[in-house]
Amino acid sequence: MPNYKVVLFSDLVHLQYMTEQKQAINDSLPDLPVEVVDYTDSRLAKFSDKNRVPCIMIFKDEARMQTRHSKLSHSEVVNWIAARVT
C-alpha cells in the first residue's frame, strides 16, 4: 500500500490560509499526513519549476505525485487530494 503525504508550501503572507487548508484536509482525511512548510523548503525547488506559493504537493512514497500552484477553497483542495489518494 503506498504512503501518501501532502506538503503545503507557504510564505508569511499565505501562512494563515495554508494553516486553515491543513485543518480542512485533516478534518476530511484524518489518516493523511499533512505538513505546512516555508517556501525555502528544498522540495519546492526540487519538485517544481515554478518557485511560487501557495503550493500544494502530493507525495507518493516520497516522490512528487502532483502539484498545484493556486489558492483553492477548502472543499476544492480536499476533493482534489481525495481524488488522487483514495
Side-chain angles (χ1 to χ4, degrees):
M1 178 113 174
N3 293 312
Y4 293 99
K5 177 179 13 177
V6 175
V7 179
L8 307 171
F9 296 88
S10 183
D11 55 12
L12 288 176
V13 173
H14 298 98
L15 186 57
Q16 180 177 351
Y17 163 74
M18 292 306 256
T19 302
E20 291 170 3
Q21 289 286 39
K22 178 183 179 190
Q23 187 60 51
I25 297 164
N26 285 336
D27 290 347
S28 297
L29 303 165
D31 295 331
L32 181 65
V34 181
E35 60 180 299
V36 176
V37 298
D38 189 75
Y39 67 96
T40 60
D41 187 291
S42 63
R43 292 172 289 186
L44 183 60
K46 182 177 180 179
F47 294 115
S48 175
D49 57 354
K50 301 174 186 175
N51 194 15
R52 69 175 205 245
V53 293
C55 176
I56 304 164
M57 281 190 196
I58 302 173
F59 289 85
K60 179 180 176 182
D61 296 328
E62 299 300 319
R64 184 192 59 83
M65 187 175 148
Q66 292 218 327
T67 303
R68 292 287 298 260
H69 291 274
S70 62
K71 286 180 104 173
L72 304 168
S73 72
H74 298 325
S75 61
E76 288 173 318
V77 167
V78 169
N79 291 339
W80 178 73
I81 293 168
R84 282 140 185 89
V85 302
T86 56

